[in-house]
Amino acid sequence: MSLKTFFILISMTLCGSLGGYFLKRASSNLNSLKTLILNKYIYIGGLFYCLGAILNIALLRYIPYSLVLPLNSITYIWTLLLAYFLLGERIGKYKLFGILCIVVGVFFLTI
């Protein structure tokens, strides 16, 4: 995997995770349809999801589909880090074990 491809992959997975983070932020202030429409976090989250999808399409040019889809699991690593550092969520031993399984799986997929 080239450095360019690696950068696209990391950017794609980070965008997917940031999309979820901003939608989580948006969910804390949804009382009506009006607050939904006026909530800036909905749009930021949607923008990150769209950017991630565009990068996913670009990545398919360089990596086979059968590899791109499993590598999307890197998004869960970013999600765990964002949840811990930005949302103050706890990371238990089962979550750490899950992340370890993802890292091992990605390693085996890419060799």
Side-chain angles (χ1 to χ4, degrees):
M1 181 181 312
S2 72
L3 187 59
K4 176 182 178 180
T5 306
F6 180 76
F7 177 74
I8 295 171
L9 173 69
I10 294 303
S11 298
M12 175 197 66
T13 58
L14 183 58
C15 283
S17 186
L18 285 169
Y21 166 74
F22 282 106
L23 293 182
K24 171 70 173 170
R25 293 277 312 263
S27 71
S28 65
N29 189 24
L30 294 181
N31 301 325
S32 66
L33 182 59
K34 182 180 178 182
T35 60
L36 173 71
I37 292 170
L38 297 176
N39 193 318
K40 67 180 177 182
Y41 295 119
I42 292 282
Y43 300 104
I44 295 170
L47 180 68
F48 274 114
Y49 272 138
C50 286
L51 185 56
I54 291 167
L55 291 172
N56 193 339
I57 293 166
L59 196 60
L60 287 168
R61 181 176 182 188
Y62 304 106
I63 301 176
Y65 176 70
S66 60
L67 192 57
V68 171
L69 195 59
L71 289 176
N72 270 317
S73 64
I74 295 170
T75 302
Y76 300 122
I77 298 170
W78 292 117
T79 300
L80 186 80
L81 293 172
L82 290 174
Y84 179 76
F85 287 110
L86 300 179
L87 298 173
E89 294 183 10
R90 296 191 62 200
I91 299 175
K93 60 183 175 183
Y94 292 114
K95 289 179 184 177
L96 286 175
F97 179 70
I99 294 300
L100 177 66
C101 289
I102 290 170
V103 170
V104 169
V106 166
F107 172 77
F108 281 117
L109 282 171
T110 56
I111 59 171

